Amino acid sequence: MITTASRRLAPVLTPVLTAVLAAALLVAAPARADAGRYAADIRRTEYGIPHISAKDHGGLGYGYGYAFARDNVCVMASWVLTLRGERSRHFGAEATSDDVMDPISNLASDAYYTYVRSSGVLRRVLARPAPYGPSAELRALVDGYVAGYNRYLSDTGVARLPDPTCRGKEWVGPITASDVWMNLLDLGRLGGSSSFKEAIAASGQAARKPPQDDKTDRPDDRTPAPGSNAWALGREATRDGHGMLLADPHFPWNGSRRFYQVHLTIPGVLDVSGGSLYGTPMVQIGHNASLAWTHTVSHADHFTLYRLTLVPGARTTYLVDGRAEPMGRQEVTVAVREAGGTIGQVTTAVHTSRYGPVLGMDWTRTSAFALADANAANLRFADEWLALAAARDVPALRRAQAAHQGMPFVYTLAADSGGQTYFADTSIVPHVTDEQAARCRTGDDPGLLVLDGSRSACLWGRDADAVEPGIFGPAAQPRLARADYVTNANAGPWLTNPGAPLTGYPRVYGDTGTRRDLRTRVGLDMIAQRLSGGDGLGAAGFTLDTLQRSATGKRNLSAELLRADLRALCRARPVMTASDGAKVDVRQACATLAAWDGRARLDSRGAILWREFFLGLNRPHRRDDGTPAPPDGWWKVPFDAAHPLTTPRGLDVTHPVVESALADTVRSFTAAGLPLTLTPGQAQRYGTVPVPGCTEGEGCFDRIRTGGELGDQGRYPDVNTGSSFLMAVELTPAGPRTRTVLTYSLSANPASPHHADQTELFSRGQWVSERFTEAEISAYPKLATTRLR
C-alpha cells in the first residue's frame, strides 16, 4: 500500500529536473578530494566537545573530518557502505540496513542507492554553478573533510581503531567526496525519495508480476515523522530584553542521523557552534556571536505522487494528454554475499516516468504511481547553512534564505541580539495551488497529495521569485517576525504565535483551524505561563535559567487535562470492568495516580501507569454493537476551532473504553508483578543510563520514544528517539551565553569516555555551559589540543 508513513519528512524533484533524470542514466565518476595542503587545530573541552579552527574552509573541513572520525568512525564507515549500495556484499541481502529512520533489507537498500548513484543526478548537480550547485567554499569544506577523515584512518589503522564495533573489519576504508555529497543528497531527500526506498527498488519486480485487479486505494499505516521543538524569544518576552532561542530537535539516538556537537572557526569569516548531523561538515542548528537559529520538521508537502494511467495491455506505458509515453528503465546490479562467502549478483530494474521513479506498490492493470520529489536534486541547503552561520542578525538570515532557497524539509526559527525573532517555512514545496489540487487530486486520503498524471495540466507550476521552476517562491511562504516570540512543535504554521495566527498560504503548506496535538498545546501553554509568571518559576519573562527549567519540566498535558475526571470515576467505581468482562479492583491504581506529581521525572511514581492507561484509551475499540468506534471519542469537550489551545479537554467517563483501559492496565501490571508506582527511571534506559521523559502522544514537550512496548520485567526497549541536542542561547550585547546537552553523548564508540557522559547529565537534568569565546576555551584547565598539518 502507498502509505502516509512514507512521508516521514519529505523532499521533491521538479518536473523539469525529473524528466532530465529519467533520460540521463550515465554513471557518475566518483568525486575525490583534491590533494592539497590543510592545516587545522582541534581543541577539546568538557565532554570531548571539539573546537576546530583553520585559516580557510579546506582546513576547517580537514580538522572536522579528523575529529569526527576519531569519535564516530564506525558509524560513518557503515553508512558509507549504505550510500554506495554495498551492504549486501558484506552482510548479506536479507539483513536489515543501518538506516534507523526507515530500516529495510540490505538488498532493497542497495538497489535504491545504486539506482541513485548510477542515475547521474549527483554528477549533474555538482556540475552546476552556485547557487544551483555547491559554492567553492563548500567544495573546499567537503574535500577537506574527506582528507581529514582519511588522515585519521591512515594514522590509526583499521586494525588499531579504538571502537571494537568495526576494528579490523574489511569493510572499513577511506571515503571519497562522492560519499559526503551522497550523504548530503540523501539528507535532503529524507522526507521524499529516501522514505520510498523500498518502493522504488521494487518497481522492476512489480512490472514483471501478473497484473493486479484494480482496487480503491486506501493509504494507511501512518507513522509520525521525527519531530522537534523550537522557541525564538524576542525582547518583549525576555527579562533583560535580549533575544533568546531554544533548540530541541527530536532525532534518532542511534545511527547516522545523530547530531555531533562542534564549534567551527575561520578567523574573520566564520565562528559558529552547534549541532551537525553525522557526515555533514557544517552546523545545522546553532549560533554565532549575535544570531541563533534552529529547525523543526515542516508539515508542508515536499513531494507529490502522480497516478499514472496505463495503456491497456501495456504494463510500462502510460498516457499523458491521451498520448502514450513509455516508462524509462534503469537496470541495477547489486553484489550479494551468498552462503559460503561467495559473491553473486542480483539484477533488478527501476522504472521511471516524466515525474520521477515509479513505485513498486499498488501497480494494477490500469494504473501505477510515480514519485515527484522536490528535493531529489537539491544540495542548496548545504550552502544555505554556511550562510546562516555567517549571518549577523535576522534580516541577514532572511536574505540568505531568499538567495539559496534550499531548506529541504524544515521550518526555520531564529532570534538575534537585537531581540528580533523570526519564523518561516522556507522549505522546498511543490508548486501546487489550492485550485490545482482541487482540479488534479485523485484518491480520498487528505494526508497524501496524489495528482492525476494523465494530464500535463497537473504538472507543478512556477513562481517568478523561485530559484527553480516547480516550487513556490519566497512570496508564498508562511512567515512571521515578532518582538515577543515565535514557536513550533511540528504543527503547521497557523499558531506559530496565537496572538497573530498565520493564514492565507497555500494548503500544501498545512491546514488552519484544525486541532493541534498535545505537544504543541503544552509548549504554547509553557510560554504563556512564563510570560505571565504563573508557572512558579519567579517573575514574568524568560531568563536563561527559566528557559532551561521550562524546557525540561517534564509536564504531561494529558494528565493535566484528564486526571481530575478519572479521579471522580475512581471514587464512583472502585471496581471496574476489563475489556473481556473481568472485574478488577482499581483502588490502589487510583491512589497511585492521585499521588503522582503529574511529571515524567526519573522518580515520578505513577508516570508509567498513566502512560499505559493513556495508550489503552487510544487503542482501537468497538461499540457495543460491534462496529468500530471513532478514535478519541472519550474526550468530554470536543475540538473547537475557536478555542484551539483549550480543546479538546476532559474525560468522558461514561465512554466504555475509559473503564476498560484502566482495568486492563491494572491487570497487566498485576499479572507481570510490576509495581503500580513504576517510574520512568526504572522503565526507561539508554544503555545503562536511566532516562526521564514521556511520549508526545501523552502531551510531553521534551519527549522521548522507546523502541517498543513495556516488557514483563517493567522495562521498555532502549530509548531510540527524542530530545537529542538541547541548546538554550541568550544573545547578549557582550556575546552569547549558551547551555547545551547532547542527550546520547558525543561518541558512538562504547569504549570512549564520551560515550555516555552527557547522557548521564541529561538523566540528572543538567546542562553544559558552552565555551564559545577564546578566553572561555583557553580557560579550560584540561584543554587538549591536536594540531594537524
Side-chain angles (χ1 to χ4, degrees):
M1 277 296 216
I2 296 174
T3 68
T4 27
S6 300
R7 301 181 52 156
R8 301 283 163 97
L9 302 176
V12 186
L13 183 62
T14 67
V16 172
L17 287 176
T18 318
V20 173
L21 287 180
L25 303 176
L26 298 176
V27 177
R32 294 188 176 275
D34 293 334
R37 293 191 173 189
Y38 297 111
D41 289 343
I42 305 168
R43 293 179 292 174
R44 294 197 182 245
T45 54
E46 294 96 330
Y47 306 98
I49 298 169
H51 304 259
I52 301 164
S53 58
K55 64 179 181 180
D56 54 31
H57 286 82
L60 192 66
Y62 188 63
Y64 190 3
Y66 188 97
F68 177 78
R70 177 180 167 182
D71 292 319
N72 295 292
V73 66
C74 291
V75 175
M76 188 65 176
S78 177
W79 185 239
V80 164
L81 291 184
T82 301
L83 296 170
R84 292 176 178 175
E86 295 179 356
R87 299 197 66 81
S88 299
R89 170 189 290 273
H90 297 280
F91 308 119
E94 301 304 320
T96 302
S97 73
D98 62 345
D99 186 344
V100 296
M101 301 192 77
D102 188 20
I104 58 177
S105 74
N106 281 339
L107 183 59
S109 175
D110 290 343
Y112 168 78
Y113 284 107
T114 301
Y115 153 70
V116 175
R117 294 180 79 96
S118 60
S119 72
V121 58
L122 189 56
R123 173 177 52 78
R124 289 188 294 277
V125 175
L126 292 177
R128 302 187 74 186
Y132 310 103
S135 66
E137 293 81 4
L138 178 59
R139 294 173 194 268
L141 190 68
V142 168
D143 287 347
Y145 184 89
V146 170
Y149 179 98
N150 291 342
R151 162 78 182 271
Y152 171 80
L153 197 62
S154 175
D155 286 355
T156 308
V158 174
R160 298 186 302 277
L161 290 174
D163 190 341
T165 309
C166 67
R167 182 189 302 137
K169 302 297 186 183
E170 45 89 20
W171 46 267
V172 180
I175 64 172
T176 69
S178 286
D179 297 322
V180 177
W181 292 120
M182 271 291 293
N183 185 42
L184 288 167
L185 185 72
D186 191 64
L187 173 61
R189 294 173 163 213
L190 204 55
S193 300
S194 292
S195 299
F196 285 90
K197 294 191 296 289
E198 194 167 27
I200 293 171
S203 67
Q205 294 176 330
R208 294 195 304 268
K209 288 181 178 178
Q212 302 176 42
D213 292 333
D214 296 336
K215 60 182 181 296
T216 301
D217 298 303
R218 287 184 291 272
D220 53 16
D221 189 29
R222 298 179 177 125
T223 302
S228 307
N229 300 317
W231 295 351
L233 307 170
R235 55 184 173 271
E236 294 178 4
T238 61
R239 191 89 58 81
D240 295 328
H242 305 148
M244 301 178 71
L245 182 120
L246 172 71
D248 179 19
H250 298 167
F251 261 55
W253 281 30
N254 300 292
S256 62
R257 299 303 183 198
R258 302 204 323 172
F259 284 97
Y260 185 77
Q261 188 172 357
V262 69
H263 181 192
L264 302 174
T265 303
I266 302 174
V269 176
L270 188 70
D271 193 10
V272 60
S273 183
S276 171
L277 290 168
Y278 279 22
T280 64
M282 72 288 296
V283 168
Q284 281 87 39
I285 290 176
H287 72 88
N288 55 38
S290 55
L291 174 74
W293 79 94
T294 187
H295 303 291
T296 60
V297 175
S298 165
H299 264 220
D301 288 301
H302 299 100
F303 69 90
T304 66
L305 296 180
Y306 278 94
R307 185 187 183 106
L308 306 179
T309 299
L310 302 181
V311 172
R315 295 274 287 157
T316 58
T317 305
Y318 60 100
L319 296 171
V320 179
D321 297 334
R323 297 180 179 176
E325 286 191 11
M327 293 180 186
R329 185 177 185 276
Q330 181 174 335
E331 283 203 353
V332 174
T333 299
V334 175
V336 176
R337 180 176 294 275
E338 299 175 342
T342 60
I343 304 299
Q345 290 186 335
V346 174
T347 298
T348 184
V350 173
H351 291 270
T352 58
S353 70
R354 64 160 58 191
Y355 308 104
V358 180
L359 304 180
M361 53 172 63
D362 290 337
W363 200 324
T364 72
R365 297 176 184 275
T366 61
S367 66
F369 292 88
L371 172 68
D373 179 351
N375 286 290
N378 174 28
L379 289 177
R380 297 189 303 277
F381 57 86
D383 268 308
E384 187 168 330
W385 274 318
L386 286 181
L388 298 190
R392 291 292 176 243
D393 53 25
V394 164
L397 175 142
R398 296 181 66 168
R399 289 193 296 272
Q401 293 203 306
H404 292 281
Q405 298 182 32
M407 281 299 148
F409 54 80
V410 291
Y411 300 130
T412 301
L413 295 92
D416 63 23
S417 57
Q420 304 177 88
T421 72
Y422 181 62
F423 164 89
D425 188 351
T426 64
S427 63
I428 305 304
V429 175
H431 193 292
V432 180
T433 64
D434 293 354
E435 180 277 328
Q436 186 184 25
R439 172 168 44 85
C440 292
R441 191 167 202 145
T442 67
D444 57 3
D445 181 1
L448 195 62
L449 188 54
V450 183
L451 303 179
D452 184 357
S454 70
R455 293 181 285 158
S456 60
C458 296
L459 287 166
W460 300 344
R462 61 190 306 162
D463 275 345
D465 62 341
V467 70
E468 291 195 317
I471 61 174
F472 280 110
Q477 296 166 348
R479 58 185 67 228
L480 183 65
R482 300 280 296 180
D484 52 357
Y485 71 90
V486 292
T487 180
N488 187 264
N490 301 118
W494 176 41
L495 296 183
T496 293
N497 184 307
L502 283 168
T503 59
Y505 45 81
R507 288 197 63 183
V508 70
Y509 281 96
D511 292 332
T512 61
T514 56
R515 177 174 158 181
R516 304 293 96 170
D517 64 18
L518 294 182
R519 178 159 60 92
T520 292
R521 287 174 58 185
V522 74
L524 289 170
D525 187 62
M526 288 158 62
I527 293 175
Q529 289 202 32
R530 181 81 299 269
L531 295 183
S532 69
D535 57 3
L537 298 180
F542 282 94
T543 64
L544 187 58
D545 177 64
T546 57
L547 176 57
Q548 292 174 244
R549 294 169 65 189
S550 296
T552 55
K554 312 300 179 190
R555 283 179 58 182
N556 186 313
L557 186 61
S558 64
E560 295 173 17
L561 296 174
L562 304 175
R563 192 161 48 150
D565 290 323
L566 184 64
R567 283 200 296 264
L569 179 62
C570 284
R571 288 192 294 269
R573 297 183 188 173
V575 176
M576 297 188 185
T577 304
S579 55
D580 64 356
K583 301 298 182 181
V584 180
D585 188 330
V586 298
R587 285 175 294 181
Q588 185 180 353
C590 290
T592 298
L593 292 176
W596 171 41
D597 63 8
R599 306 276 175 153
R601 301 184 176 108
L602 285 179
D603 60 353
S604 294
R605 297 160 61 90
I608 303 302
L609 178 65
W610 178 268
R611 180 184 308 174
E612 293 301 307
F613 161 68
F614 189 76
L615 289 172
L617 283 181
N618 289 281
R619 289 192 177 100
H621 56 278
R622 295 182 176 275
R623 301 183 181 92
D624 292 339
D625 62 3
T627 59
D632 290 3
W634 40 263
W635 287 105
K636 181 191 296 184
V637 179
F639 171 71
D640 181 351
H643 302 283
L645 303 184
T646 56
T647 60
R649 66 177 182 271
L651 186 64
D652 178 6
V653 296
T654 66
H655 196 294
V657 75
V658 176
E659 186 174 330
S660 64
L662 184 58
D664 288 347
T665 300
V666 171
R667 193 160 59 161
S668 69
F669 271 63
T670 302
L674 302 180
L676 298 173
T677 55
L678 191 66
T679 67
Q682 294 168 326
Q684 297 171 171
R685 289 284 195 277
Y686 183 67
T688 61
V689 182
V691 178
C694 51
T695 65
E696 64 183 331
E698 297 168 79
C700 294
F701 182 74
D702 49 330
R703 61 95 166 171
I704 55 89
R705 187 182 297 166
T706 62
E709 298 180 352
L710 184 67
D712 290 342
Q713 302 302 313
R715 284 275 302 276
Y716 294 103
D718 269 12
V719 171
N720 61 7
T721 312
S723 294
S724 47
F725 175 63
L726 283 160
M727 181 181 74
V729 187
E730 181 180 15
L731 298 159
T732 78
R737 298 175 59 233
T738 309
R739 306 289 183 268
T740 66
V741 63
L742 189 63
T743 58
Y744 33 69
S745 304
L746 195 71
S747 176
N749 173 10
S752 169
H754 307 303
H755 178 66
D757 51 358
Q758 288 198 60
T759 312
E760 292 170 355
L761 281 184
F762 177 68
S763 176
R764 299 192 297 268
Q766 297 175 324
W767 300 57
V768 180
S769 294
E770 182 190 75
R771 297 178 184 271
F772 184 74
T773 67
E774 181 61 31
E776 291 167 340
I777 297 168
S778 300
Y780 179 57
K782 298 180 180 179
L783 189 67
T785 300
T786 301
R787 297 187 183 279
L788 297 176
R789 299 292 183 268

